[in-house]
């Protein structure tokens, strides 16, 4: 049933940027497939053995270039089988494969040998679907490829289908594998812990494997499903970078391997640890999407492509005409958590709301503590009714007050969890992840509802739907405060129970999608004790994320720096909270805290009823200034000018609006050592021929700095800070507006 499409040269799409075009071509003579988009080409072919082999991934080739047909690697020795050293697009575990397989299965008769060969392909709207068949058994894999015309970012995934008469168990199923030829490379990835997420970790790629993963049932704080591999040493502005991000909010794994011939491959998808998905005859399993991209402009270039792609292709609520539409900048929020913790009352929240409105806040969010018997974290999760002692008349009076103050209203929920001390658990003790008869490990005094179950999923959906129907709620902060333990699903036969790793996250997506459909105005934040569930899977369904419970403004600079390697500042919520900070007792000025949070989507989370008139006026002025330039900050091209990492005494970022009409610069001194002044900042990304007016938002430039100068001046001569800009934990911000000559 081979369907060979004749020679196809498809012009896929033309993006907002008229010069960016994508094409997908297949040459039946050489059996070579080629995808071009942005500054990237991706090429693979069918080799004489029938395997799909990667041929090229990198800078865009000329349309006139013809890539030679795929030839498998020679067998160097019997120990280096060609099947292992040939970079396959999607290798089955079989025929002597010693590197990471994309797919590993056990057939009903015990056979575990799986060899996948090209069968057919179809051209799709923006790429190819390529079908691989097992050489004997009735199992097939369809590889999906699309390429974005502007960024050249590829979206790859696989659909595995069982056409055997018996069930097949999938023990490992990747979304895609990416290959790079031998060269010295540096790997960058993001690691962390609760209150310490987003540490950029960098190391030379060495022989063997570096495994990035979560075994926790959700994305995790400890590692994030993103990687970047740079040829040579890490560099923000120069050099080739290949990067990828997995769109999956369940247990995931990305393996970066350097094989015995020094070639590198990156395989990612469902985490094979404790995996075992039984595919019944006629059933299919779709993997998550593994995005991959290439930049010739260092790690900065790579993150700018990713940010743009997320804004234009991943996040919900993109608005505007045609291609290039992006979501609106986020409202400036107030959140009550650090001000009141569980001690929420109608009067207390109203007092905070009044003050928030005076600051110019757009959205008032009531955090944990408003429902069930929630006096602390030992009770109440699962009982999503308004606590009658705290809110005798329901939420309506508070919501009305918030509206009359000119703000909209948001609410905290944690729908996937239950406290054993709750009505829900007393009624449905069987609804949680568990192995019958075994202990149920608690985290923060709570258990995880088994959302893979249809009845539990439906219950959670209906409860949230009811809450949104009964109350005028514009926003949900959706929290998730522990990882899985004892992940049993005892309603299924024992060998099917591991489906939970696929069905649970898919049902979370399903609920989010359905809620958005029923309540199109509602916006959602993904929070998991801070940044424990941030990935390109959840970002299809939520408008923003909570990057960390650590709101210390100095720690946040490093976290925000790390975060932006993988994710756009548009989704990066940042609150201004109290000083000294609860986590580390660090004392900082309000201006410094404001500026740190203004690098992302700004929020206020302090007990503002205690703020002095002076503090209130400062915050109100900076919120007004932020609103004016917010779109540039969160949606512009980001340049990390000076990294706060590695004990740096200074840091600076700059964003440039897409049309280069505006730029915003943030500068921070962490500590003035030995009297050193802030370095002169050579700006980036401006139009060299245009004039830009420098407008201070906070702080001063050095005396004698021209108020108006060309982009060339700011990029070559640079911006200098006032000589009085010294001390510990100091900050400044400037905008540059393009002016008519
Ligand atoms: C998590 C969140 C916090 C807050 C608390 C409430 O820790 O990350 O922002 O909402 O839960 O219990």
């Amino acid at each position: 049933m081979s369907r060979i499409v004749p020679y196809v040269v498809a012009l896929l799409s033309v993006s907002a940027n008229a010069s960016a075009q994508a094409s997908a071509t297949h040459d039946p003579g050489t059996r070579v497939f080629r995808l071009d988009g942005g500054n990237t080409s991706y090429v693979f072919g069918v080799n004489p053995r029938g395997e799909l082999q990667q041929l090229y991934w990198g800078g865009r080739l000329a349309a006139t270039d013809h890539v030679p047909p795929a030839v498998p690697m020679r067998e160097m020795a019997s120990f280096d089988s060609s099947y292992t050293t040939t970079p396959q697009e999607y290798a089955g575990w079989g025929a002597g494969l010693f590197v990471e397989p994309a797919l590993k299965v056990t057939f009903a008769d015990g056979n575990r040998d799986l060899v996948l060969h090209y069968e057919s392909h179809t051209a799709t709207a923006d790429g190819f679907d390529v079908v691989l068949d097992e050489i004997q058994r009735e199992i097939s894999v369809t590889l999906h490829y699309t390429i974005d015309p502007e960024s050249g970012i590829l979206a790859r995934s696989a659909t595995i289908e069982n056409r055997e008469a018996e069930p097949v168990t999938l023990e490992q199923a990747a979304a895609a594998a990416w290959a790079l030829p031998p060269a010295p490379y540096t790997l960058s990835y993001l690691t962390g812990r609760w209150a310490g997420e987003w540490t950029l970790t960098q190391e030379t790629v060495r022989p063997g494997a570096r495994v990035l993963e979560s075994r926790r049932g959700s994305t995790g704080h400890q590692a994030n499903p993103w990687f970047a591999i740079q040829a040579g040493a890490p560099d923000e502005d120069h050099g080739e970078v290949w990067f990828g991000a997995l769109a999956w909010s369940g247990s995931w794994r990305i393996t970066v391997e350097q094989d015995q011939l020094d070639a590198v491959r990156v395989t990612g998808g469902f985490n094979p640890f404790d995996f075992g998905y039984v595919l019944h005859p006629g059933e299919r399993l779709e993997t998550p999407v593994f995005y991959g991209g290439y930049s010739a402009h260092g790690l900065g270039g790579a993150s700018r492509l990713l940010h743009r792609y997320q804004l234009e292709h991943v996040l919900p609520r993109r608005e505007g005409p045609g291609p290039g539409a992006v979501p609106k900048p986020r409202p400036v929020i107030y959140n009550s958590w650090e001000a009141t913790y569980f001690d929420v009352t109608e009067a207390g929240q109203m007092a905070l709301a009044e003050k928030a409105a005076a600051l110019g806040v757009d959205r008032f969010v009531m955090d944990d503590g408003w429902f069930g018997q929630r006096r602390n974290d030992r009770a109440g999760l699962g009982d999503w009714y308004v606590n009658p002692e705290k809110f005798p008349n329901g939420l309506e009076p508070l919501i009305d007050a918030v509206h009359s103050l000119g703000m909209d209203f948001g609410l905290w929920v944690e729908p996937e969890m239950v406290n054993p001390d709750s009505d829900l658990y007393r009624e449905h003790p069987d609804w949680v992840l568990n192995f019958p008869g075994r202990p149920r490990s608690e985290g923060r005094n709570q258990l995880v509802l088994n959302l893979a179950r249809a009845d539990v999923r439906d219950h959670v959906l209906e409860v949230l739907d009811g809450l949104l129907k009964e109350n005028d709620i514009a926003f949900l902060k959706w929290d998730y405060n522990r990882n899985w333990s004892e992940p049993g699903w005892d309603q299924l036969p024992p060998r099917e129970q591991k489906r939970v790793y696929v069905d649970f996250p898919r049902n979370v997506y399903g609920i989010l999608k359905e809620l958005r459909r029923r309540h199109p105005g509602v916006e959602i934040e993904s929070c998991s004790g801070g940044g424990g569930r941030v990935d390109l899977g959840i970002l299809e369904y939520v408008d923003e994320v909570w990057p960390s419970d650590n709101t210390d403004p100095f720690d946040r600079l490093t976290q925000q720096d790390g975060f932006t390697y993988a994710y756009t500042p548009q989704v990066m919520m940042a609150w201004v909270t109290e000083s000294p900070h609860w986590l580390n007792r660090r004392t900082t000025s309000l201006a410094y805290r404001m500026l740190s949070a203004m690098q992302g989507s700004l929020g206020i989370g302090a007990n503002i009823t205690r703020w002095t008139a002076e503090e209130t006026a400062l915050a109100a002025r900076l919120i007004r200034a932020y609103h004016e330039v917010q779109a540039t900050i969160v949606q512009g091209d980001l340049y990390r000018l000076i990294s706060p990492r590695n004990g740096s005494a200074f840091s600076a970022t700059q964003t440039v609006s897409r049309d280069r009409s505006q730029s915003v610069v943030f500068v921070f001194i962490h500590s003035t050592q030995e009297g050193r002044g802030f370095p002169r900042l050579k700006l980036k990304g401006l139009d060299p021929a245009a004039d830009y007016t420098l407008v201070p938002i906070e702080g001063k430039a050095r005396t004698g700095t021209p108020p108006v100068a060309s982009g060339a001046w700011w990029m070559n001569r640079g911006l200098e800070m006032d000589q009085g800009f010294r001390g510990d934990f100091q900050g400044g911000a400037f905008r540059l507006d393009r002016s008519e000559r």
Side-chain angles (χ1 to χ4, degrees):
M1 63 136 206
S2 173
R3 277 173 294 146
I4 308 264
V5 173
Y7 189 75
V8 182
V9 181
L11 180 65
L12 299 175
S13 41
V14 181
S15 79
N17 169 0
S19 65
Q21 292 187 343
S23 70
T25 61
H26 170 247
D27 181 342
T30 54
R31 309 182 91 188
V32 168
F33 296 82
R34 174 170 160 180
L35 292 149
D36 299 288
N39 294 318
T40 303
S41 293
Y42 189 85
V43 191
F44 55 93
V46 183
N47 71 24
R49 286 201 297 251
E51 297 148 8
L52 209 59
Q53 180 177 339
Q54 200 249 38
L55 294 172
Y56 176 76
W57 182 25
R60 190 163 179 155
L61 306 173
T64 48
D65 289 328
H66 290 286
V67 178
V71 179
M73 298 289 283
R74 260 192 311 136
E75 182 180 285
M76 296 276 288
S78 62
F79 303 100
D80 294 325
S81 90
S82 168
Y83 192 67
T84 277
T85 56
T86 299
Q88 290 191 59
E89 285 289 287
Y90 201 86
W93 185 73
L97 185 84
F98 302 114
V99 288
E100 190 72 15
L103 187 62
K104 181 178 185 313
V105 309
T106 298
F107 289 92
D109 61 358
N111 168 41
R112 305 194 307 279
D113 184 51
L114 181 82
V115 178
L116 298 169
H117 281 181
Y118 170 84
E119 164 62 24
S120 63
H121 72 271
T122 44
T124 57
D126 43 7
F128 287 114
D129 280 350
V130 182
V131 179
L132 309 179
D133 272 355
E134 214 292 320
I135 52 175
Q136 292 175 341
R137 300 297 177 101
E138 293 298 317
I139 189 156
S140 75
V141 180
T142 306
L143 303 181
H144 310 287
Y145 294 86
T146 68
I147 192 159
D148 173 39
E150 188 149 4
S151 62
I153 290 179
L154 291 131
R156 292 182 55 189
S157 62
T159 306
I160 302 146
E161 184 177 355
N162 178 17
R163 284 184 270 105
E164 295 266 289
E166 300 284 334
V168 174
T169 305
L170 311 183
E171 278 139 16
Q172 188 157 347
W178 308 91
L180 294 170
Y185 294 110
T186 309
L187 171 68
S188 299
Y189 55 103
L190 292 162
T191 56
R193 59 180 183 280
W194 174 80
E197 303 88 335
W198 314 110
T199 303
L200 186 73
T201 304
Q202 297 181 309
E203 66 198 21
T204 304
V205 176
R206 317 281 308 172
R210 162 60 74 191
V211 175
L212 313 174
E213 67 171 349
S214 161
R215 298 180 174 191
R216 299 161 180 270
S218 66
T219 325
H221 301 72
Q222 291 70 16
N224 191 267
W226 166 88
F227 74 90
I229 294 178
Q230 178 145 23
D235 189 305
E236 277 293 302
D237 300 305
H238 308 103
E240 294 193 286
V241 175
W242 295 263
F243 56 92
L246 197 57
W248 186 235
S249 313
S251 289
W252 59 273
R253 189 164 100 178
I254 295 176
T255 306
V256 181
E257 281 174 295
Q258 191 188 77
D259 71 14
Q260 64 269 43
L261 302 181
D262 301 333
V264 172
R265 67 195 79 195
V266 182
T267 310
F270 297 120
N271 194 331
F273 178 81
D274 200 34
F275 198 73
Y277 192 95
V278 178
L279 210 54
H280 291 278
E283 272 186 357
R284 294 167 184 206
L285 175 66
E286 293 204 15
T287 72
V289 174
F290 200 174
Y291 295 97
Y294 165 83
S295 167
H297 304 289
L299 289 164
S303 60
R304 285 187 288 278
L305 289 178
L306 258 177
H307 296 175
R308 181 86 350 230
Y309 188 82
Q310 289 158 15
L311 286 166
E312 292 184 4
H313 301 284
V314 179
L315 288 167
R317 281 182 170 277
R318 299 185 292 272
E319 290 172 8
V326 297
K328 283 196 196 123
R330 310 302 309 134
V332 171
I333 64 141
Y334 176 80
N335 179 290
S336 65
W337 175 241
E338 290 193 28
T340 63
Y341 293 105
F342 296 100
D343 192 14
V344 296
T345 59
E346 192 179 279
Q349 295 292 307
M350 283 196 184
L352 288 166
E354 261 171 47
K355 194 71 193 266
L359 293 173
V361 160
D362 306 306
R363 169 171 292 167
F364 182 84
V365 183
M366 178 161 65
D367 210 280
D368 198 350
W370 59 268
F371 54 89
Q373 293 305 310
R374 189 75 167 166
R375 283 185 197 86
N376 49 46
D377 63 15
R378 290 191 291 279
L381 284 178
D383 299 339
W384 299 106
Y385 61 86
V386 181
N387 180 293
E389 284 99 57
K390 296 181 183 184
F391 296 93
N393 303 306
L395 294 180
E396 210 179 326
L398 174 62
I399 296 179
D400 287 348
V402 165
H403 288 164
S404 65
L405 289 163
M407 300 179 290
D408 66 21
F409 181 79
L411 196 62
W412 181 94
V413 289
E414 192 177 357
E416 297 149 272
M417 299 288 169
V418 66
N419 286 117
D421 185 0
S422 67
D423 296 343
L424 185 74
Y425 188 73
R426 282 183 281 270
E427 209 176 312
H428 297 288
D430 58 319
W431 275 14
V432 298
L433 290 176
N434 78 96
F435 293 116
R438 303 284 305 167
R440 301 174 176 198
S441 304
E442 294 178 16
R444 206 194 191 199
N445 312 301
Q446 60 198 55
L447 297 168
V448 185
L449 290 172
N450 182 359
L451 248 76
R453 287 175 54 149
D455 52 353
V456 178
R457 177 201 60 199
D458 294 347
H459 169 82
V460 167
L461 174 63
E462 293 317 317
V463 163
L464 293 171
D465 184 48
L467 206 56
L468 295 177
K469 271 193 195 131
E470 284 154 29
N471 301 284
D472 194 349
I473 293 171
F475 170 81
L476 289 177
K477 174 178 171 183
W478 181 303
D479 214 333
Y480 181 86
N481 274 312
R482 60 160 293 184
N483 296 127
W484 293 5
S485 57
E486 300 103 14
W489 181 0
D490 60 321
Q491 286 69 39
L492 294 190
R495 67 184 195 129
E496 311 245 343
Q497 291 190 10
K498 292 176 179 174
R499 279 182 80 102
V500 70
Y501 286 106
V502 175
D503 290 8
F504 186 125
R506 290 250 153 95
N507 281 351
V508 174
Y509 294 157
I511 295 170
L512 287 165
K513 191 173 175 186
E514 179 58 16
L515 273 184
R516 295 197 80 115
R517 193 190 66 74
R518 294 188 195 175
H519 306 276
V522 172
E523 299 183 340
I524 303 172
E525 173 179 285
S526 172
C527 172
S528 173
R533 191 154 62 185
V534 182
D535 58 78
L536 292 189
I538 203 89
L539 281 175
E540 274 184 48
Y541 305 101
V542 300
D543 305 87
E544 60 185 55
V545 302
W546 183 227
S548 181
D549 276 351
N550 185 347
T551 51
D552 171 72
F554 173 63
D555 285 0
R556 268 293 176 114
L557 292 182
T558 313
Q559 295 187 302
Q560 291 173 178
D561 175 82
F563 184 96
T564 61
Y565 281 87
Y567 302 104
T568 165
Q570 162 84 9
V571 301
M572 183 173 78
M573 299 306 293
W575 305 343
V576 173
T577 58
E578 304 284 330
S579 170
H581 194 263
W582 58 266
L583 184 64
N584 49 32
R585 310 308 303 156
R586 184 176 286 123
T587 302
T588 51
S589 70
L590 180 59
Y592 180 82
R593 280 176 274 150
M594 288 290 299
L595 293 168
S596 169
M598 284 162 64
Q599 286 193 317
S601 284
L602 177 64
I604 308 287
N607 190 345
I608 47 180
T609 54
R610 291 203 212 119
W611 279 8
T612 62
E614 211 182 13
E615 287 173 317
T616 306
L618 173 69
R621 173 173 67 76
L622 287 175
I623 289 175
R624 275 196 305 277
Y626 174 77
H627 266 140
E628 284 173 19
V629 291
Q630 184 182 1
T632 299
I633 295 171
V634 297
Q635 300 182 347
D637 283 333
L638 173 69
Y639 297 87
R640 290 173 291 259
L641 300 180
I642 305 175
S643 166
R645 276 176 282 123
N646 307 321
S648 166
F650 310 109
S651 71
T653 60
Q654 182 201 356
T655 41
V656 183
S657 64
R658 280 238 100 189
D659 63 1
R660 298 197 290 178
S661 67
Q662 187 174 69
S663 181
V664 179
V665 179
F666 287 99
V667 291
F668 296 96
I669 297 181
H670 312 146
S671 165
T672 298
Q673 286 164 18
E674 294 147 358
R676 286 195 188 94
F678 199 88
R680 193 191 291 175
L681 271 185
K682 295 190 176 192
L683 303 188
K684 293 179 180 164
L686 302 174
D687 176 355
D691 278 342
Y692 291 88
T693 307
L694 182 75
V695 184
I697 294 172
E698 181 70 17
K700 282 192 294 195
R702 191 173 179 140
T703 313
T705 300
V708 184
S710 67
W713 170 279
W714 300 120
M715 292 194 289
N716 295 312
R717 174 65 168 63
L719 171 63
E720 285 176 291
M721 295 303 120
D722 181 66
Q723 284 184 288
F725 186 52
R726 283 167 196 285
D728 292 349
F729 307 117
Q730 301 295 311
F734 300 84
R735 59 189 275 186
L736 291 104
D737 293 312
R738 190 165 60 195
S739 41
E740 296 308 321
R741 280 227 161 111

